[in-house]
Amino acid sequence: MQIFAPIYQKTLQLSKHRHAPFWLGLVSFIEAIFFPIPPDVMLMPMSMTQPQKAVRFAFIAGIFSTLGGMIGYAVGYFAADWVTEIMQHFGYGNQWHTVMGWFDKWGIVIVFVAGFSPIPYKLFTLSTGVMQMAFFPFVIAAFISRMARFLLVAKLAAWGGQRFADKLQRFIEIIGWSVVLLAIIAIIVIR
């Protein structure tokens, strides 16, 4: 059963659309606040199909992710009790307390790590506000780490270009089903 190949082809097709940079910016913005899908999902195919614009796409993702992070910070800052309650309600209570403990232990350094890593960034933008960390150091750390991540992703995807896209096409079903299996295992382990 081929599910992922048609989705992959549609993603590559949409990555060339004239409004793709707008959607990349929007996804980058809302992912830093609440959206579960990282901008890399759009950034990679856009950079593969238009390698000459990869750095531009990385800047769009980095700037809008930082702006979204600022909104996430504000939500955490002004609605700390509500954010904590929402995290508990959606089953993220343990992860939320872990993240808060990391901030107590490592402070702003954790923003660098979170901005560059595949850890859900929204947990960190919201928790910096809840912890009432200094705003400007947060913004600087968020911008540097997000830009570094998106530049790396964009440049690697651009470097691989069409040959990488073709190879990915051949293995997309295996990759897709492996991700689904890993997600199921992760859910079972977390619960």
Side-chain angles (χ1 to χ4, degrees):
M1 173 165 63
Q2 290 217 340
I3 292 177
F4 298 100
I7 294 170
Y8 177 70
Q9 283 303 317
K10 188 67 174 172
T11 302
L12 287 180
Q13 180 185 359
L14 291 173
S15 72
K16 297 177 189 175
H17 193 276
R18 65 186 177 104
H19 295 300
F22 167 80
W23 293 109
L24 174 63
L26 181 65
V27 167
S28 300
F29 181 81
I30 62 176
E31 184 268 341
I33 308 166
F34 66 88
F35 197 60
I37 300 171
D40 309 63
V41 172
M42 291 185 69
L43 180 60
M44 286 181 67
M46 289 173 69
S47 297
M48 283 190 308
T49 58
Q50 301 177 67
Q52 71 283 6
K53 295 181 180 178
V55 172
R56 178 177 166 236
F57 296 148
F59 270 91
I60 290 169
I63 289 167
F64 281 93
S65 182
T66 302
L67 292 171
M70 293 164 68
I71 299 299
Y73 177 98
V75 169
Y77 188 89
F78 293 110
D81 293 337
W82 178 75
V83 169
T84 303
E85 186 179 310
I86 291 292
M87 292 297 172
Q88 296 286 348
H89 176 74
F90 285 105
Y92 292 112
N94 291 337
Q95 294 92 329
W96 181 250
H97 291 296
T98 300
V99 167
M100 298 298 267
W102 289 347
F103 273 107
D104 277 341
K105 188 172 183 177
W106 293 302
I108 200 72
V109 172
I110 200 68
V111 175
F112 278 105
V113 173
F116 194 78
S117 73
I119 300 170
Y121 188 56
K122 65 202 84 5
L123 290 175
F124 294 89
T125 63
L126 293 166
S127 59
T128 53
V130 169
M131 297 291 288
Q132 298 184 357
M133 296 187 78
F135 181 71
F136 289 111
F138 161 74
V139 172
I140 292 166
F143 180 74
I144 292 170
S145 62
R146 295 309 269 179
M147 282 306 305
R149 173 185 172 157
F150 294 137
L151 280 169
L152 179 65
V153 168
K155 291 302 276 180
L156 285 174
W159 174 72
Q162 193 57 49
R163 359 173 258 270
F164 182 68
D166 293 342
K167 284 185 181 180
L168 198 55
Q169 173 66 37
R170 281 188 268 153
F171 298 105
I172 194 68
E173 290 298 326
I174 293 169
I175 294 167
W177 287 111
S178 297
V179 169
V180 169
L181 180 62
L182 287 173
I184 292 169
I185 291 169
I187 289 169
I188 291 169
V189 168
I190 290 171
R191 300 241 183 236

